[in-house]
Amino acid sequence: MSQPVVYEFGSYRLDPSQQLLTHGGREIPLTPKAFQTLLVLVESQGRIVGKDELLRKVWPSTVVEEATLAQNVFTLRKQLQGEDDVQYIETLPKRGYRFVAKVRIAPPAHAETIPAEPAPATAGTAPPAKRLPYYLGAAAAVCAATLLLWRPWSHAGPEENRRIMLAVLPVQNLTGDPGQEYLADGLTDEVIADLGGLNPERLGVIARTSAMVYKQTNKNIRQIARELGVDYVLETSVREGPGQIRFTAQLIRTQDQTHVWAQNYQRSMSDILAMQSDLARTVAEQIRVKLPQAVVARLASQHPVSPEAYDAYFRGRYFWNKRTTEAMRTAERYFQQAIQADPAFAPSYAGLADCYQVMVNLNQMSPEEGFSRARAAAERALQLDGALAEAHTSLASIKGDYEWDWQGAESGYRRAIELNPNYATAHHWYGDFLAGTGRIEEGMAEMRKAQELDPLSPVIRVSAANMYCLLDRCSEAIQELQRTLDTFPDFVEAHEALAEIYGYLGRYEQSVAELGKEHEPPLGHVQVLRGFAAAKAGRTQEAVEIVRQIEAQTAEPHANYWAAIVYTGLGDKERAFARLESARQARDPYMPYLRSALPLKDLSPDPRLAELLRRMQMPN
């Protein structure tokens, strides 16, 4: 008769026939479900075991939540890491777990085998004495795990005195309906915003752009932590029930991939703000971040919001993040629906303000119409919630890019950062604003803060590259953009920025070649830079044809500014300044960035540029 299989890994022996895990002859207490979880992982060594597969195998006839599985894995890690300083179970976000230690198969060793049990005790008799330590040990393990899940992690060390970094991975849509993706993405945004506003001096939260890179990822927690520089990862998922959502959250410490805490929430859509507040407060407790009293009061005062308003708001943000012409119209419609459903919900107005500003950039609205609508929406948002950093940032952008209220813009950016230092967009836009007013070093400092909070954002990387070049560090700028294109090869703005830098350095053929990598676009910034580079490379006729096409687009809001760039490349400063004066009169939002525009650097020594900036009342 064949011997039952016994597995060995590290200094451990796992005996399925006796339901025993031993270490050096000593039994390691595990609950039956924890043992079964370990057995499934060991038998699948090297293979990713999905969460659904684990739930199905360990609880074959019971419906349980992911948090229960996370608690089992948490218990296993505590038991194993208490014996050897080795990683055994790897977490792969959104996917499952993998047993990474080498597993060997060996016959049962008699020295470590516990003798078979006598016949089961009859009713009313006590269990055999030699098994009592096992039951007590298992019970103690369960109690300890439960306490750890409900009490803050008690590790003492350097984290007590430094800023902790947290990444919120994209909420996983487990509703079974791809049409509900907007809900998952919307919750991702809101959880990031809530956690980012808790105690920014002690807790930094990675921004949405970088977090969303991991929406469909094969990377494990260790890789994500290394790329983002974070101490903790929050993994979440959402399901829907009749009139309710079920939200699961798991907090993982990246240093050793320990599951610090897991929790299930089941709330109606009208109570979703209260759920987010509960989640934020509990995460802060688990990573030992003390909340200021004002934050505690704010979290406790969340009022119900109309489910229809919140649903429409999530849909609006989902389409706004796509940044396409069609999507922006859809986003505007959903934000308006949210406002109609709940006129007191401030974020909907902030979303609408952001929508109108992007519409100006996409040439869907004139600067006059787009910025006036954006201002009205941002001001309404602040009337409803004066502490909304997003609305302060939007209003500051309007004041700087269109109204040329330089002092008001700077005050607005500073107020937004004061309210939420974790808001990467505020640092990013403030950095661009400072560079535009000639304060390049200060702008670079803000851009570094933005990159710390949103390290994978391609837009922020492009702005940082431009500033490197303004600081005569163009080689670093080129490296920054090449790294960006390694991750986002189709990001047109990175190709444009490289072309600008090559042109600034006099490498005009490289500039033309860089732009040639893109598909032929409609008339826009890529064509403008092609005209500039062609002019500088001596291909005058090509440049003249492009500027002719630009000037024919009389309804194009940026046509004058773009024509000025090509005329600068052609060396025709008279026409370049004439077009810039027309752009000034139209309040083109590119104008505040004249000082930091690389293609216009040839105009810097000309006194007419200083006079143009004076008429804009730009500070020296």
Side-chain angles (χ1 to χ4, degrees), residues 500 525 527-533 535-536 543 547 550 558-572 575-577 579-580 590 594 597-603:
E500 286 190 359
H525 198 205
Q527 282 290 72
V528 172
L529 293 177
R530 280 180 178 160
F532 174 84
K536 286 289 191 177
V547 78
I550 294 171
H558 307 304
N560 285 303
Y561 181 86
W562 285 344
I565 289 176
V566 183
Y567 280 127
T568 300
L570 288 166
D572 190 341
R575 283 192 172 92
F577 277 110
R579 295 298 177 272
L580 288 177
Y590 278 115
L594 285 177
L598 295 179
L600 297 177
K601 280 301 174 183
D602 287 352
L603 303 181

Side-chain angles (χ1 to χ4, degrees), residues 207 354 388-397 409-434 442-443 445-451 453-454 460 467 593:
D354 292 342
L388 198 61
E390 292 86 347
H392 281 285
T393 302
S394 294
L395 192 55
S397 175
E410 181 158 12
S411 297
Y413 284 128
R414 287 185 171 181
R415 178 58 177 155
I417 291 169
E418 178 187 1
L419 288 167
N420 186 2
N422 281 323
Y423 188 36
T425 300
H427 291 288
H428 175 201
W429 290 2
Y430 185 35
D432 279 340
F433 169 83
L434 290 169
E442 293 178 66
E446 289 299 323
M447 205 60 64
R448 289 194 189 100
K449 293 175 184 176
Q451 285 191 294
L453 293 164
D454 204 350
I460 294 176
M467 288 189 195
Y593 304 98

Side-chain angles (χ1 to χ4, degrees), residues 96-116:
Y97 304 95
R98 176 166 51 198
F99 198 83
V100 293
K102 185 177 180 180
V103 176
R104 306 176 300 277
I105 297 178
H110 294 293
E112 291 192 3
T113 301
I114 305 296

